[in-house]
Amino acid sequence: MSIKSATRLMVVLKNDQMPFKVKAEIIKKKVERFLFGFNDRKGFLLKFVIYSLLLGIGFVYLYPMLYMFVTSMQSLGDLLDMSINWIPSSFYIDNYRQAYSVLNVRPALLGSMQIAFFPTLLQVAIASIVGYGFARFEFPLKKVWFGLMIFSFVIPPQILMMPKYRLFSDLGLTGSLSAFTIPALLGQGLNSTIFILIFYQFFRQTPKSLYEAAEVDGANQIVSFFKIAVPMAIPAFIVSFLFSFVWYWNETYLTTLYLTSSSTDISTILIQLQQFETSYESLYPATEASPNRINEGIRMAGTVISILPLLITYFFLQRYFVESVDNTGITGE
Amino acid sequence: MKIKRETIYGYVFILPWLIGFLGLVFYPMIQSFYFSLNDMRITPQGLRFVYTGFNNYLNVWLQDMFFIQELLAFSVDTLIRIPVIVVFALIIAMLLNQDVKFKGLFRTIFFLPVIVASGPVINQLVDQGATAIPMLDQDVIMSLLNAIFPVWFASVLSDLFNQIITILWYSGVQILLFLAALQKIDPNLYEAAKIDGGSSWECFWKITLPTIKPLILINLVYTLVSLANSGQNPIIVLIYQNMFNATRGYGFASAMAWMYAIIVGFMLLMIYLVFREKKSKRFS
């Protein structure tokens, strides 16, 4: 309720000529509008429910992050001090300095970027093409391929790891970035099935008449893919890019298997994080003179560094969620 | 015979995937199936096979005492979790799609589980005990539930409540997928419906739900597979243990994995049959 309407209400209430019944009626109406809203305005109750749900659940997600962040800002003294829980006694960033050097951030960040960015780009592009093929055309054996694609997603990947690794090393893919880019290029990257399914469902929503109209106007398949299908599936491209990026970024098992075990110099932040303790001990050996032991604060600082790039990427990409639809100018259905 | 044009186009578009599948996935799959038919050992001299037919498959059911037990637990668990995760994700996505203040901030917060749940960070957090909310007193809630509901229902609810934090953490991907689907709905559609006197409730059932229905199917599929194949799943742990078990070995583990994959695949088929789009009913 705005101040203006509140003052207007006061004027009404101070009016002596008005009978009490009318006043009560007005108040009732105002309160109702305030609580339940009218026309397009949402009422206070609805807003309250929305914000409390968002804040409550957001808090669940934010809590460990805050905990992590706060712990990373605490010096050893603060960590041991039971009276200090949430607010560090001083602005302490030494943990970050140490974690930064232990993680070997610059080369590791470069490695992470390479492993996350290039396969993701290929994976999303190929998934959109394949998804379009499945969604738009009818061809013999389509159901069989589709079924096999989904079944290959269901088989526990752990069991395929060994034969897959042998195949990859026979093909000479291990030990370089191509262990990630080649499968992505052939639509077999990380969780590629789910991306193909996302595009499949998005492309199927585009009405067939739109393609037919384009074909009448002389567009070939490639033109109608880029000019009609792609612009209408921009949200799908954004989520696919995000998921793929995050999943490749967080992948440690395959990275260790394909890259680290065979001597390469590509390392990722997440792998560095896994070896955090050993690296720390070799970099800051504990001597009797300086009791340099790894503590929670340093470990948490390392974790914060490892997820920070993802958060920044997301924060800038999420605004396209809203803008994309407005920009296309085509409306579906 | 003339090959239809559409066939050619279709195959051209799926060609990259087809090559990848036949070249990089199908062969390991066949190999692992072959493993499952053998008693297989990894020796220093290389792999050693003794053909045993479908014995491994029989033994999975007859000899392993954990498999059936874990399978049942898993089935019940997923049956409860999947609808909860998907409905919850839909609600959150719809809230985030509204005009709320600090939209960007909220959306970033709700992206956190996508980052965290897929990485090693979650293990670290669980070790720290940071994923449990210390303020919730579980006992009080449980006794409250027992007082209100019949016992069987209360136990299901309290189970759910115990898992609620985990469920929240595993629904990040689904929230974003729904959010992307909601973006595709033309706001004019709602306006038109409002002018015709439709309530928000009707708008939800007549506009929102039909448009995002295809994404519901995807979310169900993703949720099932990610629950089934997550490293925390006891069956996966079991398969993993058998892989390096001296008496059972890789062949047995492969058989178990195939058995498991077929069962999960069957569940997927059920979901698909219920939620597929019926062509005749599609609105135009």
Side-chain angles (χ1 to χ4, degrees):
Chain A
M1 203 161 30
S2 66
I3 299 169
K4 206 171 147 195
S5 69
T7 47
R8 235 182 310 160
L9 188 63
M10 287 311 288
V11 172
V12 172
L13 290 180
K14 276 182 185 152
N15 190 344
D16 294 330
Q17 270 98 49
M18 209 177 268
F20 178 73
K21 227 177 170 182
V22 180
K23 276 186 193 168
E25 197 70 12
I26 290 172
I27 292 172
K28 202 178 144 222
K29 195 110 205 187
K30 288 269 178 196
V31 169
E32 234 166 56
R33 280 186 173 185
F34 173 66
L35 283 180
F36 303 109
F38 67 106
N39 292 347
D40 267 355
R41 292 261 301 279
K42 285 192 203 79
F44 175 76
L45 275 185
L46 188 59
K47 270 190 193 163
F48 181 76
V49 171
I50 290 174
Y51 280 103
S52 50
L53 263 177
L54 283 180
L55 282 173
I57 296 160
F59 178 71
V60 172
Y61 294 144
L62 212 53
Y63 174 77
M65 295 297 131
L66 278 179
Y67 173 85
M68 210 162 80
F69 184 69
V70 166
T71 313
S72 73
M73 298 294 280
Q74 290 178 344
S75 62
L76 191 60
D78 284 359
L79 283 171
L80 294 176
D81 189 344
M82 293 303 269
S83 66
I84 293 177
N85 245 337
W86 283 99
I87 302 165
S89 60
S90 62
F91 187 72
Y92 182 79
I93 53 165
D94 223 38
N95 287 335
Y96 280 94
R97 206 168 296 139
Q98 288 192 2
Y100 189 89
S101 62
V102 170
L103 282 176
N104 209 355
V105 168
R106 215 163 291 168
L109 198 64
L110 200 71
S112 275
M113 277 295 180
Q114 277 180 341
I115 279 179
F117 186 72
F118 295 113
T120 293
L121 224 52
L122 290 171
Q123 161 135 307
V124 173
I126 294 299
S128 70
I129 291 169
V130 174
Y132 182 76
F134 275 124
R136 173 89 174 81
F137 305 106
E138 290 298 327
F139 46 88
L141 291 181
K142 176 172 147 172
K143 289 222 165 92
V144 174
W145 297 129
F146 207 72
L148 276 173
M149 178 177 81
I150 291 174
F151 190 67
S152 71
F153 189 40
V154 173
I155 294 183
Q158 291 84 351
I159 208 73
L160 293 181
M161 216 49 99
M162 202 263 278
K164 226 175 182 170
Y165 178 76
R166 294 208 311 173
L167 179 69
F168 274 40
S169 66
D170 283 349
L171 293 173
L173 293 177
T174 50
S176 68
L177 202 61
S178 55
F180 290 94
T181 49
I182 299 288
L185 186 65
L186 295 174
Q188 305 295 344
L190 270 184
N191 294 345
S192 64
T193 302
I194 205 72
F195 297 114
I196 294 175
L197 282 179
I198 291 172
F199 282 111
Y200 172 76
Q201 294 287 41
F202 262 84
F203 288 144
R204 255 163 52 116
Q205 279 188 314
T206 315
K208 272 222 155 100
S209 53
L210 222 59
Y211 296 119
E212 277 154 18
E215 260 162 56
V216 169
D217 286 349
N220 60 23
Q221 296 302 327
I222 296 169
V223 171
S224 63
F225 173 68
F226 280 109
K227 290 272 149 111
I228 299 172
V230 172
M232 293 193 67
I234 286 183
F237 278 92
I238 295 170
V239 276
S240 299
F241 185 86
L242 279 173
F243 291 159
S244 184
F245 193 80
V246 170
W247 286 336
Y248 271 110
W249 185 278
N250 278 340
E251 180 56 58
T252 49
Y253 191 76
L254 287 178
T255 323
T256 324
L257 194 65
Y258 291 149
L259 296 181
T260 322
S261 51
S262 42
S263 56
T264 39
D265 35 337
I266 303 177
S267 181
T268 67
I269 291 259
L270 267 292
I271 290 197
Q272 294 288 335
L273 194 66
Q274 271 190 336
Q275 305 161 344
F276 200 75
E277 240 154 284
T278 22
S279 317
Y280 183 86
E281 274 157 22
S282 64
L283 202 63
Y284 298 100
T287 54
E288 283 189 27
S290 67
N292 224 332
R293 295 291 300 278
I294 192 164
N295 62 43
E296 266 335 293
I298 302 169
R299 210 175 286 145
M300 287 293 148
T303 313
V304 170
I305 291 177
S306 78
I307 64 169
L308 208 58
L310 293 178
L311 280 181
I312 295 169
T313 313
Y314 178 71
F315 190 76
F316 285 105
L317 269 179
Q318 60 88 17
R319 59 192 62 203
Y320 290 102
F321 260 148
V322 191
E323 285 164 14
S324 61
V325 175
D326 302 340
N327 285 344
T328 54
I330 318 166
T331 49
E333 256 77 39
Chain B
M1 196 188 93
K2 197 165 162 267
I3 303 171
K4 272 215 244 138
R5 244 198 165 156
E6 218 182 327
T7 308
I8 300 174
Y9 286 143
Y11 272 99
V12 166
F13 272 98
I14 69 161
L15 193 65
W17 176 84
L18 202 58
I19 295 171
F21 179 75
L22 293 177
L24 298 178
V25 176
F26 195 61
Y27 179 63
M29 259 165 78
I30 293 297
Q31 228 179 357
S32 126
F33 184 67
Y34 174 70
F35 291 167
S36 75
L37 298 178
N38 284 279
D39 185 26
M40 182 190 151
R41 290 297 129 98
I42 303 170
T43 59
Q45 284 81 40
L47 304 176
R48 194 168 52 82
F49 296 99
V50 180
Y51 185 76
T52 56
F54 281 89
N55 255 349
N56 277 333
Y57 286 87
L58 270 181
N59 288 345
V60 167
W61 293 102
L62 298 178
Q63 276 188 2
D64 198 295
M65 44 187 172
F66 298 115
F67 186 65
I68 296 176
Q69 199 182 324
E70 295 292 2
L71 199 65
L72 276 177
F74 166 76
S75 309
V76 174
D77 214 36
T78 29
L79 222 62
I80 299 170
R81 274 193 191 192
I82 291 178
V84 173
I85 289 180
V86 172
V87 169
F88 167 78
L90 180 57
I91 294 172
I92 294 299
M94 279 170 56
L95 292 183
L96 286 176
N97 200 37
Q98 276 176 332
D99 258 332
V100 287
K101 295 207 171 70
F102 309 113
K103 217 178 190 172
L105 187 70
F106 272 125
R107 283 186 177 173
T108 311
I109 292 173
F110 281 84
F111 181 59
L112 283 174
V114 178
I115 298 176
V116 172
S118 74
V121 181
I122 187 102
N123 297 331
Q124 242 177 27
L125 288 177
V126 172
D127 289 347
Q128 307 286 321
T131 46
I133 300 187
M135 282 156 242
L136 288 176
D137 194 343
Q138 302 260 333
D139 292 339
V140 175
I141 293 162
M142 239 134 266
S143 62
L144 208 68
L145 284 176
N146 276 322
I148 300 171
F149 298 107
V151 179
W152 66 272
F153 193 62
S155 77
V156 169
L157 272 185
S158 66
D159 259 7
L160 209 62
F161 207 87
N162 273 331
Q163 300 174 347
I164 206 88
I165 305 292
T166 334
I167 286 179
L168 287 182
W169 277 106
Y170 282 99
S171 50
V173 170
Q174 289 85 337
I175 292 175
L176 247 83
L177 274 177
F178 276 137
L179 200 56
L182 289 173
Q183 297 300 314
K184 267 203 75 165
I185 303 177
D186 186 2
N188 293 334
L189 223 54
Y190 287 115
E191 233 158 76
K194 281 262 162 65
I195 289 169
D196 287 349
S199 65
S200 316
W201 183 247
E202 280 169 317
C203 281
F204 172 74
W205 289 101
K206 298 269 162 66
I207 301 174
T208 314
L209 212 55
T211 322
I212 59 169
K213 203 179 166 202
L215 264 290
I216 294 179
L217 181 61
I218 290 197
N219 268 335
L220 290 170
V221 170
Y222 175 79
T223 313
L224 175 59
V225 175
S226 65
L227 284 178
N229 286 352
S230 90
Q232 270 99 25
N233 188 338
I235 298 181
I236 296 293
V237 175
L238 201 63
I239 291 172
Y240 217 70
Q241 281 168 356
N242 279 322
M243 228 143 88
F244 304 106
N245 189 314
T247 54
R248 284 180 169 158
Y250 213 94
F252 184 87
S254 297
M256 191 182 266
W258 274 85
M259 217 56 245
Y260 180 54
I262 287 168
I263 289 165
V264 175
F266 189 72
M267 288 176 168
L268 269 187
L269 194 69
M270 291 281 115
I271 290 177
Y272 171 74
L273 289 180
V274 174
F275 281 88
R276 73 178 157 179
E277 276 167 88
K278 288 152 197 103
K279 280 210 175 95
S280 54
K281 274 193 185 170
R282 276 206 78 190
F283 73 116
S284 55

